[in-house]
Amino acid sequence: LIVVAQSPAAEASLGVTADSGQRVRIVAGGRTVLDWTTGHQTDDYAGLYVRPTAGDAVYAMHGTLVGSFGHKLDEWRDRTIVALAREGVQRVDVEHGRDKYSVIRGPKAWMVGQATADSAVAARLVNQLNPLTAQAFATPAQAAAANFGHPTARVRVFGPTGALLADILFDSTKAGVWARADSGRTVYQVGDWVLATLAPTERTLRAGVPRAR
């Protein structure tokens, strides 16, 4: 750590005021062992300005802790929507637009109705669930605008005993693709390829049917 300022007047320009900075507290054994306010990146973009929350001195910090202390709140949150092992998936029910079908594990291959599914497409679908992770979290306004009452797609996953393992709703808008596990309230943003992988057209899933390039 290198001292770069010791005056409260410099705190705002370095981003370490109570209003502009991010407070980081580390507690061990019920005792606070570190209490810092982090601010802007250093001029070389390799470090971070930090200030002991109860003090006026501002330091330039470099090293492995910079990445951790620079995380925003959402970056600490778990972005896993569901995590289902491939061998635990027996059936996937998909509703997407006019398509409504089931992908079922057969003795030798995945099936779509009475037809053999394209093995690569089916594998990508099932593998996408282990884990299915988000790009980001929706803001409160984005979450409120998402229409899960009439979703773009719905994917339900069942285990070998018929138990429902996951029920995932998708809403595709100009602003992005939003997803929500029906058992929770958190709304996530996912890539458009996630929706295409988990809810392909039935025609795409049927083996031997040419897929558009």
Side-chain angles (χ1 to χ4, degrees):
L1 295 177
I2 301 174
V3 177
V4 295
Q6 299 190 63
S7 168
E11 293 177 5
S13 64
L14 300 175
V16 292
T17 65
D19 293 333
S20 62
Q22 179 168 271
R23 190 174 181 181
V24 177
R25 294 176 64 238
I26 297 178
V27 179
R31 184 173 65 90
T32 300
V33 296
L34 183 144
D35 188 349
W36 283 353
T37 297
T38 64
H40 299 323
Q41 287 184 311
T42 53
D43 292 340
D44 60 6
Y45 298 103
L48 196 67
Y49 293 118
V50 300
R51 174 179 64 84
T53 301
D56 293 327
V58 181
Y59 302 86
M61 180 176 69
H62 292 79
T64 56
L65 289 178
V66 169
S68 297
F69 286 177
H71 284 331
K72 301 303 181 184
L73 178 60
D74 277 357
E75 295 178 272
W76 290 101
R77 296 173 64 186
D78 185 4
R79 299 190 183 198
T80 302
I81 303 173
V82 297
L84 301 173
R86 177 188 176 95
E87 57 272 17
V89 176
Q90 179 65 29
R91 187 179 95 237
V92 182
D93 289 354
V94 176
E95 297 177 40
H96 189 182
R98 296 182 179 180
D99 276 332
K100 186 175 182 180
Y101 59 86
S102 295
V103 184
I104 302 171
R105 182 190 295 274
K108 296 183 179 180
W110 290 96
M111 307 294 292
V112 184
Q114 300 300 313
T116 301
D118 183 302
S119 59
V121 178
R124 286 196 294 269
L125 189 161
V126 176
N127 290 338
Q128 186 71 67
L129 296 166
N130 189 30
L132 173 59
T133 57
Q135 288 182 320
F137 295 91
T139 65
Q142 290 167 337
N147 184 3
F148 294 114
H150 296 87
T152 302
R154 183 178 189 179
V155 177
R156 294 187 296 166
V157 186
F158 298 86
T161 65
L164 178 64
L165 303 179
D167 188 351
I168 310 161
L169 305 174
F170 295 91
D171 183 33
S172 180
T173 69
K174 291 182 179 180
V177 179
W178 312 100
R180 189 190 74 189
D182 204 36
S183 58
R185 296 182 178 180
T186 303
V187 177
Y188 306 87
Q189 183 175 17
V190 298
D192 53 5
W193 66 90
V194 171
L195 179 57
T197 301
L198 284 177
T201 64
E202 184 175 356
R203 179 181 175 85
T204 300
L205 260 168
R206 291 180 179 273
V209 176
R211 295 188 296 278
R213 295 183 180 274

